[in-house]
Amino acid sequence: MKSNSDKNQTKLPWWVELLFVQLGLPDRWLSKYLKKRKDALTFIDANKKYIAYCALIISGVLYIYPIVRYTSSSASCIDKTTKYLKSSNTNKGQNEIDYNSIAVGYCHGGSLPNN
């Protein structure tokens, strides 16, 4: 039969049992961890609205960043290809729009025309 002192004791979480009872980590680490955890939960509870706004902004930036990176690299490719076509082309009859359209086609998987 269990005594009253056994009934009053709560069961330790498995990670506390493993790390601090079985492996013998210092007890002061557990007290520091529990204090930091309490402080963190208090901070999160007090600043829920600001944390939600920050999470929304960060997720928006992470969502848009690949689009911005793709657009930037595409614009850079078009600019470099246009400069190359202007410098290497012997046919001076083409105008700026022709160079730009050829560069866009090349940067999106096409090929450069033969001179």
Side-chain angles (χ1 to χ4, degrees), residues 79-98:
D79 186 44
K80 289 177 183 177
T81 307
T82 304
K83 288 179 183 177
Y84 170 76
L85 288 172
K86 286 179 183 178
S87 68
S88 67
N89 197 356
T90 57
N91 185 6
K92 300 296 181 188
Q94 290 183 329
N95 60 12
E96 183 72 26
I97 295 174
D98 292 337

Side-chain angles (χ1 to χ4, degrees), residues 14-29:
W14 67 269
W15 58 272
V16 173
E17 178 77 30
L18 176 70
L19 295 176
F20 295 96
V21 176
Q22 299 298 325
L23 294 178
L25 293 178
D27 291 338
R28 66 177 185 265
W29 290 2

Side-chain angles (χ1 to χ4, degrees), residues 22-77:
Q22 299 298 325
L23 294 178
L25 293 178
D27 291 338
R28 66 177 185 265
W29 290 2
L30 178 61
S31 63
K32 286 180 183 179
Y33 169 76
L34 293 175
K35 185 175 186 306
K36 293 290 183 184
R37 181 176 175 214
K38 182 181 175 187
D39 293 343
L41 291 175
T42 304
F43 176 79
I44 290 171
D45 192 42
N47 298 308
K48 282 183 182 178
K49 186 185 345 180
Y50 300 113
I51 292 171
Y53 288 146
C54 288
L56 184 65
I57 289 170
I58 290 171
S59 63
V61 168
L62 290 175
Y63 179 77
I64 291 176
Y65 178 71
I67 298 168
V68 171
R69 188 180 63 204
Y70 171 77
T71 306
S72 174
S73 66
S74 178
S76 174
C77 176

